[in-house]
Each structure stands twice: as C-alpha cells, then as structure tokens.
Amino acid sequence: MPEIVSIIIKGGIVMIPLLACSLISLALTIERFIFWTRLKSKDVLEQILSLVENGDFEPALKLGKTSSQPIARVLAAGIAHRNPTPAKAMEAAAQAEIPVLKSRLGVLDTIVTLAPLLGLLGTVVGMIGSFDIMSEAGLGQPHAVTGGVAEALIATATGLLIAILTLIPYNYFTTRVEKEMDAMEHFSSSLELLLHEHRGNH
C-alpha cells in the first residue's frame, strides 16, 4: 500500500483526476453489472405472452406494468393500446426505455477517452519539469533527468490502464444493450401477432 501511494504521488497532480476517473468507472461498472444481472431472466416475458394467448389481458397488463423488465413495460403498453394500434404504442414505449438501457454508458465512454489524455498531460508536465532540471543541473547529472522522465511516464501508464479496464465493461454493456433491443423487437412482434390472432378469432 505505501508503494502505491508513493507511485501516485510521483505521478503528479494529474493523478487526482485519474483516480477520480477510476473510482467512477468502478462504481458505474458495478451498478450496470447489477442492472443487467437483474434483466437476465426472460420468464416474465414468456408469462405475459402466455396470458395474452389465453386472452387474459388484464393479468398480463398488470404483470407488465409491475415488472422491472423494460421489455415487459413495452409489452404492457402494447396490451393497454391493443385496439387499434399496439405497434405504435410499443414503439413509443421502446423509445422511452432505450435511454434506461443506455444509462451511464456515456460516462464510461468519456472516461475511456479522457483517461489517456489526462495521462498524456501529466507526462508532458513531468517532462517539462525534467527539462527544467536539465537546464539547471546540466548533463552532468543524468540520474536527475531520467528519474524525472520515469516519474512523468507514470501518469500515462495509469491513464492507459484506466482506459483499458473501462473499455472492456463498456463494450460488454454496449453489446448487452443491442441484444436487449433485439429481444425487445422480437417480443413486441410476438405480442403483435398474438393480438392479431386474437382479434381474428373474435
């Protein structure tokens, strides 16, 4: 632990925003992971479709509205407006749910871009300090110069590490959003077909 603190101090003032980026990235990654873990099960969606198929619209509507699943809420909108335009109702509901799925991703994307730039800034500032030492001490003390360069590179290494470790969950969550949107379209189409068949039978 003392070694980590020593490295952070050597990295310079830029290490403060870099540490803030790493903490924000960690917190948002955990929050999004919990969010997507809760959405893993699709049992409630199959249950809603089963109820609609049997003509039990009210229980299906109640189940959709009370569910934590964004897709379930989209299906509930379609059931609530099954006459005459469930497709339009589900489309509008989906547009409202998509920002919920993409929530926090913009912050992670910003950290992926910002962290290396902050690291580079820290390195440039450190290099300026090293050249100042060189101008004062001359070339007779190479250890003073190379030591300053080594410390300056700590910020760049830290910035790249934060960006890499943030990019992995960011890409994972982006993929999950795309899959959830595909599933939303699939279940919406299935519900629309069931509603159409139900209208045709009555």
Side-chain angles (χ1 to χ4, degrees):
M1 194 66 177
E3 292 179 2
I4 296 173
V5 174
S6 175
I7 291 171
I8 292 171
I9 293 171
K10 286 179 181 178
I13 193 72
V14 177
M15 294 296 284
I16 295 173
L18 282 173
L19 283 174
C21 285
S22 67
L23 292 174
I24 293 169
S25 174
L26 179 62
L28 294 184
T29 298
I30 293 171
E31 187 272 336
R32 286 289 89 186
F33 183 76
I34 293 171
F35 173 81
W36 285 109
T37 301
R38 288 175 178 169
L39 298 186
K40 197 170 184 180
S41 175
K42 304 296 183 189
D43 292 343
V44 67
L45 305 177
E46 298 290 351
Q47 196 175 347
I48 291 171
L49 292 180
S50 178
L51 288 168
V52 170
E53 189 174 10
N54 295 328
D56 299 325
F57 295 115
E58 290 305 317
L61 179 60
K62 185 178 179 181
L63 186 60
K65 284 184 175 180
T66 56
S67 175
S68 61
Q69 288 266 5
I71 299 177
R73 293 193 288 270
V74 171
L75 296 182
I79 297 167
H81 299 83
R82 58 187 179 274
N83 291 314
T85 55
K88 290 291 184 184
M90 286 189 286
E91 185 179 342
Q95 291 298 323
E97 294 294 342
I98 287 171
V100 176
L101 300 176
K102 292 183 176 179
S103 178
R104 316 283 195 276
L105 290 184
V107 179
L108 290 177
D109 188 26
T110 300
I111 290 173
V112 169
T113 307
L114 182 63
L117 293 176
L118 285 172
L120 185 60
L121 175 63
T123 296
V124 170
V125 171
M127 293 290 282
I128 291 170
S130 296
F131 285 121
D132 284 342
I133 294 171
M134 186 186 296
S135 64
E136 291 174 6
L139 297 175
Q141 297 182 1
H143 294 294
V145 178
T146 55
V149 172
E151 290 177 9
L153 291 173
I154 290 172
T156 292
T158 304
L160 288 172
L161 181 63
I162 292 170
I164 291 166
L165 294 179
T166 303
L167 182 62
I168 295 169
Y170 171 76
N171 284 339
Y172 170 74
F173 296 138
T174 302
T175 303
R176 286 299 302 269
V177 169
E178 291 173 359
K179 287 183 178 178
E180 195 72 7
M181 289 170 66
D182 289 340
M184 192 177 290
E185 187 175 344
H186 166 72
F187 281 102
S188 297
S189 298
S190 298
L191 176 63
E192 193 174 354
L193 285 171
L194 288 174
L195 293 173
H196 181 71
E197 287 175 6
H198 195 269
R199 282 198 300 269
N201 294 334
H202 293 77

